[in-house]
C-alpha cells in the first residue's frame, strides 16, 4: 500500500463549479475534424461543468480574447502529450475561483486536436494557433533527450508574435503538470520592470547548463557579466508580452539558437549548450527574472532526463505539481509502475471512456 500525504495547500481547494460561455465562435479557429488516427488513439471523458463563484462578478458571455478581465494561459497540444495537456486544463478549471474568466491559447503543429479538446471541454474559452515546425527546425540541435528536440517546444519563443496584440500578459504552462490552486493568484503576480516571471533556483549549479566551450570563451561567458544568473524552469512562466514585443526578445533568443547551431554543425565541438529550448531563455533572461514563489513550480517530479526516477516534493507549500524530466505520470500509471506522487496527477486524467453507471449497465 502506498500512502500519499497531501500538504494543507493541496487539500484546501474544493472543486469550483462552472458553466462557461460558448458564444466565442467568431473568435475561434474553425474546428477541424479530428483524423481517424487521433480518434483511434484518444478518447476523453467530458469534464464536469464549472462556473464562476458569486464574488467573480457578472460573467460576459460574449467576451472576446481582448476582454481585459480574462486570465490568459498558453499550452501546447500534440499527440504525445495531449493526455497531459487535457489533465492540466482540467486541474486549472477545477481549482479556479473564476474559471469562466480563463482563456486558453493552444499552440499546435497539427490540425486534428481541436475536436478532441472540445469533446472534453465543450464550452471552454479557447483559440488554436498553428505553429509551423519549419519555423525552427533548422535551428534545433540534438539534445540529451529526443523529446526536447520537438519543434513545438520552441513555440513559447514566439508567443508575442502569435497571440493577438491586445493580449498583454500570458501564463505559459507545460503539458506535464497540474495546478492545485487558483491560477488567478499566479496571474496577479507583479513582474515589476521585468519581462518574465518564474520561480528561480539559485542553489542549482548554473554552469552545468552550458558547455566548457561556452565558459572558456570570454565573449560568450561575458553574457552574464553584471548579472546574478539563476536557473529557472521555462515550463511555468508569466510573460509581459508588451515588454517582450517592445524589446524584441524573440529575435534575441533566435540569435542564440543560431550561435548554438553554428557550433553544433562544426562537429559538435562548438556547441554552447546541450539541453533543448531552456538555455536560450537562460542566456537572455537569467538574472533578469521576476522571482515567483516556489510553490508555483514543484518541478522535477518526472526524475532526470535519462532514468525518470521517482522524486519527492520539495519542502514547502504546493500550488503546482510539475513532472518535468523523462518520467511522465500517465506512462508510469499505464505501465503499472507509478511513482507515489503520480497519484496526485491521476484525478485530473480524463483519458478513456466514461465509467458505466448503474443505469447504463
Amino acid at each position: 500500500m502506498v500512502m500519499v500525504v497531501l500538504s494543507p495547500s493541496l487539500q484546501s481547494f474544493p472543486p469550483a463549479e462552472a458553466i462557461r460561455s460558448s458564444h466565442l465562435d467568431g473568435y475561434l479557429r474553425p474546428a477541424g475534424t479530428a483524423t481517424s488516427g487521433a480518434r483511434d488513439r484518444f478518447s476523453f471523458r467530458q469534464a464536469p461543468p464549472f462556473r464562476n463563484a458569486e464574488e467573480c462578478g457578472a460573467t460576459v458571455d460574449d467576451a472576446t480574447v481582448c476582454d481585459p478581465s480574462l486570465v490568459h494561459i498558453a499550452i501546447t497540444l500534440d499527440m504525445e502529450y495531449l493526455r497531459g495537456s487535457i489533465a492540466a486544463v482540467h486541474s486549472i478549471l477545477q481549482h479556479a475561483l473564476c474559471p469562466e474568466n480563463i482563456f486558453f491559447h493552444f499552440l499546435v503543429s497539427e490540425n486534428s486536436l481541436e475536436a478532441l479538446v472540445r469533446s472534453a471541454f465543450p464550452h471552454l474559452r479557447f483559440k488554436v494557433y498553428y505553429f509551423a515546425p519549419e519555423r525552427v527546425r533548422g535551428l534545433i540541435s540534438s539534445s540529451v533527450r529526443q523529446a526536447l528536440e520537438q519543434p513545438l517546444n520552441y513555440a513559447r519563443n514566439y508567443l508575442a508574435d502569435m497571440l493577438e496584440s491586445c493580449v498583454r500578459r500570458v501564463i505559459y504552462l507545460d503539458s506535464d503538470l497540474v495546478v492545485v490552486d487558483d491560477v488567478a493568484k499566479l496571474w496577479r503576480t507583479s513582474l515589476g520592470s521585468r519581462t518574465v516571471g518564474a520561480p528561480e533556483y539559485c542553489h542549482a549549479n548554473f554552469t552545468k547548463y552550458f558547455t566548457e566551450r561556452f565558459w572558456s570563451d570570454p565573449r560568450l561567458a561575458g553574457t552574464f557579466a553584471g548579472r546574478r544568473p539563476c536557473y529557472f524552469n521555462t515550463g511555468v512562466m508569466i510573460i509581459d508580452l508588451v515588454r517582450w514585443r517592445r524589446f524584441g526578445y524573440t529575435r534575441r533568443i533566435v540569435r542564440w539558437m543560431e550561435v548554438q547551431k553554428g557550433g553544433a554543425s562544426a562537429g559538435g565541438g562548438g556547441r554552447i549548450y546541450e539541453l533543448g529550448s531552456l538555455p536560450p531563455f537562460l542566456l537572455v533572461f537569467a538574472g533578469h527574472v521576476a522571482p515567483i514563489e516556489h510553490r508555483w513550480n514543484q518541478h522535477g517530479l518526472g526524475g532526470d532526463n535519462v532514468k525518470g526516477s521517482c522524486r519527492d516534493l520539495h519542502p514547502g507549500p504546493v500550488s503546482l505539481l510539475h513532472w518535468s524530466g523523462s518520467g511522465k505520470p500517465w506512462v508510469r500509471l499505464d505501465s503499472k509502475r507509478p511513482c507515489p506522487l503520480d497519484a496526485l496527477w491521476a484525478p485530473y486524467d480524463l483519458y478513456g471512456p466514461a465509467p458505466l453507471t448503474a443505469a447504463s449497465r
Side-chain angles (χ1 to χ4, degrees):
M1 178 181 295
V2 176
M3 294 185 65
V4 180
V5 180
L6 305 185
S7 70
S9 62
L10 280 172
Q11 303 179 58
S12 58
F13 300 99
E17 298 177 328
I19 298 174
R20 283 166 309 286
S21 164
S22 60
H23 301 289
L24 290 168
D25 294 342
Y27 301 93
L28 302 178
R29 177 172 177 161
T33 301
T35 64
S36 58
R39 283 203 196 98
D40 292 344
R41 181 172 176 182
F42 290 104
S43 175
F44 292 103
R45 300 185 300 279
Q46 184 173 313
F50 299 92
R51 65 168 177 270
N52 282 357
E54 290 183 6
E55 51 264 49
C56 298
T59 301
V60 182
D61 287 344
D62 59 351
T64 74
V65 68
C66 293
D67 189 311
S69 68
L70 295 175
V71 172
H72 295 276
I73 298 176
I75 300 178
T76 59
L77 297 178
D78 69 330
M79 293 292 286
E80 192 69 26
Y81 285 82
L82 181 62
R83 188 170 169 185
S85 299
I86 295 294
V89 172
H90 188 201
S91 72
I92 292 167
L93 296 173
Q94 181 167 320
H95 294 288
L97 185 68
C98 306
E100 293 177 89
N101 295 355
I102 301 174
F103 195 101
F104 289 90
H105 304 262
F106 292 125
L107 315 176
V108 305
S109 289
E110 49 192 309
N111 294 319
S112 61
L113 303 179
E114 183 171 344
L116 288 170
V117 175
R118 281 282 181 215
S119 70
F121 309 104
H123 306 298
L124 189 72
R125 296 177 186 265
F126 75 91
K127 183 174 179 180
V128 171
Y129 303 78
Y130 181 76
F131 180 75
E134 295 74 21
R135 194 168 188 175
V136 294
R137 201 183 299 278
L139 295 171
I140 299 174
S141 52
S142 60
S143 182
V144 296
R145 183 157 56 93
Q146 188 174 5
L148 301 177
E149 301 171 21
Q150 299 306 311
L152 197 58
N153 283 338
Y154 296 83
R156 73 193 82 186
N157 302 355
Y158 299 87
L159 281 169
D161 300 328
M162 299 173 69
L163 272 55
E164 288 78 357
S165 60
C166 64
V167 179
R168 302 173 60 85
R169 166 185 281 221
V170 68
I171 296 173
Y172 177 84
L173 298 177
D174 273 351
S175 299
D176 52 357
L177 55 78
V178 292
V179 177
V180 293
D181 201 342
D182 186 357
V183 75
K185 298 177 184 178
L186 178 60
W187 175 257
R188 292 193 293 265
T189 301
S190 173
L191 301 185
S193 61
R194 304 302 193 187
T195 303
V196 169
E200 290 185 298
Y201 303 90
C202 296
H203 63 278
N205 180 7
F206 189 80
T207 60
K208 72 177 183 179
Y209 294 101
F210 301 96
T211 63
E212 183 179 350
R213 183 237 168 172
F214 176 88
W215 293 116
S216 64
D217 187 329
R219 295 172 301 171
L220 296 172
T223 300
F224 296 112
R227 295 156 63 176
R228 185 174 176 268
C230 296
Y231 162 74
F232 66 97
N233 181 283
T234 54
V236 179
M237 297 185 291
I238 307 174
I239 302 174
D240 183 332
L241 295 174
V242 175
R243 289 183 59 85
W244 185 293
R245 295 171 181 129
R246 181 186 307 157
F247 295 106
Y249 283 115
T250 295
R251 181 57 198 157
R252 298 189 194 188
I253 290 174
V254 169
R255 177 56 187 146
W256 279 115
M257 293 176 66
E258 292 171 344
V259 172
Q260 160 78 351
K261 189 64 175 179
S265 64
R271 297 172 66 102
I272 62 173
Y273 57 80
E274 304 288 350
L275 193 62
S277 61
L278 169 64
F281 261 86
L282 296 179
L283 286 161
V284 173
F285 292 111
H288 297 311
V289 172
I292 292 174
E293 289 183 273
H294 287 180
R295 67 187 302 153
W296 286 107
N297 195 354
Q298 284 270 343
H299 69 291
L301 303 184
D304 59 28
N305 281 306
V306 180
K307 296 182 179 180
S309 54
C310 299
R311 289 185 177 175
D312 295 327
L313 290 175
H314 307 294
V318 180
S319 292
L320 185 150
L321 297 155
H322 188 184
W323 279 262
S324 57
S326 60
K328 302 307 174 188
W330 56 91
V331 175
R332 297 193 296 215
L333 287 164
D334 285 354
S335 66
K336 309 301 182 184
R337 295 192 299 270
C339 292
L341 291 178
D342 295 344
L344 302 180
W345 179 88
Y348 305 102
D349 185 19
L350 293 175
Y351 177 70
L356 291 175
T357 64
S360 60
R361 290 193 180 103

